[in-house]
Amino acid sequence: MVRSIFLRGFDQDMANKVGDYMEDHGIKFIKKYVPKKIEQIKKGTPGLLKVTAHATEGSEIFQGEYNTVLLAIGRDACTRKIGLEKVGVKINEKTGKIPVNDVEQTNVPYIYAIGDVLEGKLELTPLAIQAGRLLAQRLYGGSKKKCDYVNVPTTVFTPMEYGACGYSEEKAIEKYGVKNIEVYHSYFWPLEWTVPSRDNNRCYAKVICLIPEKQRVIGFHVLGPNAGEVTQGFAAAIKCGMTKDLLDSTIGIHPVCAEIFTTLSVTKRSGENILQSGC
């Protein structure tokens, strides 16, 4: 059951491809509904549960019976009862998140915040650890290095992994304008999937480039096997200012999935065919 969109905060082109893949492999999504009541109608292992859900758009009601119900409800920022108001630290009253500047400083100059509690930042443990280390080095080690909250590699471990680093296509266009963005993309077919003729043209690669800066790569997205491993490697290159020309001049390792990023030539705006017939 999905209350609004898939993978909020991620590139929606990629998120919808994840959803399509899961649907084609037997996952049934109930879209734009929110569960309001769960009742046990039969005890046992498994038992039986009745779910009542309301539409997020309209007045429709959905009911279904299931053996198991798993709620992925996210997390809250528990900031309202720790005394922040006594020292004057401002929070977002709706979410409890804490606004900070680019050095994790709250509105009270001598109070800092790091991690998932930050407003508008990714909720990732490795990112919080890095931010904490850099903050300590700035406060006590004479460093001036700030945490990079944009070029953060991450992976969604869906049945086919989705790896991402940098801007989503939507965020890149919002920040730089559609005329300054070039998107290169392609489907690809992993070698191990070609023998059983499995899932051709479902894996997908996309890089988002900033045209005025020699097509510097500002967004990296991959949907396929081992996407996390692929993304972790390219993330270092993105941190170094990788451009499309540098990608093109890199020799690919045949026949691995990551090779596709060294041969991307079709732009989204061209509308040309990106389907692949083999590995």
Side-chain angles (χ1 to χ4, degrees), residues 94-156:
K94 181 179 179 181
T95 65
K97 296 275 189 169
I98 302 175
V100 296
N101 60 17
D102 60 353
V103 290
E104 291 87 34
Q105 196 173 37
T106 69
N107 63 295
V108 179
Y110 55 87
I111 298 179
Y112 297 79
I114 59 169
D116 294 0
V117 78
L118 299 186
E119 184 176 51
K121 302 292 191 292
L122 292 169
E123 296 178 347
L124 297 168
T125 300
L127 179 60
I129 293 171
Q130 174 82 325
R133 285 174 176 164
L134 293 176
L135 175 59
Q137 290 166 12
R138 289 196 305 273
L139 291 177
Y140 306 110
S143 173
K144 294 185 179 179
K145 188 175 182 181
K146 302 174 184 178
C147 186
D148 180 358
Y149 286 98
V150 175
N151 298 309
V152 178
T154 188
T155 301
V156 183

Side-chain angles (χ1 to χ4, degrees), residues 154-188:
T154 188
T155 301
V156 183
F157 294 99
T158 33
M160 185 156 64
E161 289 182 24
Y162 164 34
C165 183
Y167 288 100
S168 67
E169 192 172 339
E170 294 89 351
K171 286 291 185 182
I173 291 172
E174 179 184 323
K175 183 173 178 64
Y176 296 105
V178 67
K179 292 182 179 179
N180 293 317
I181 297 299
E182 195 72 271
V183 178
Y184 295 85
H185 67 151
S186 180
Y187 286 103
F188 63 94

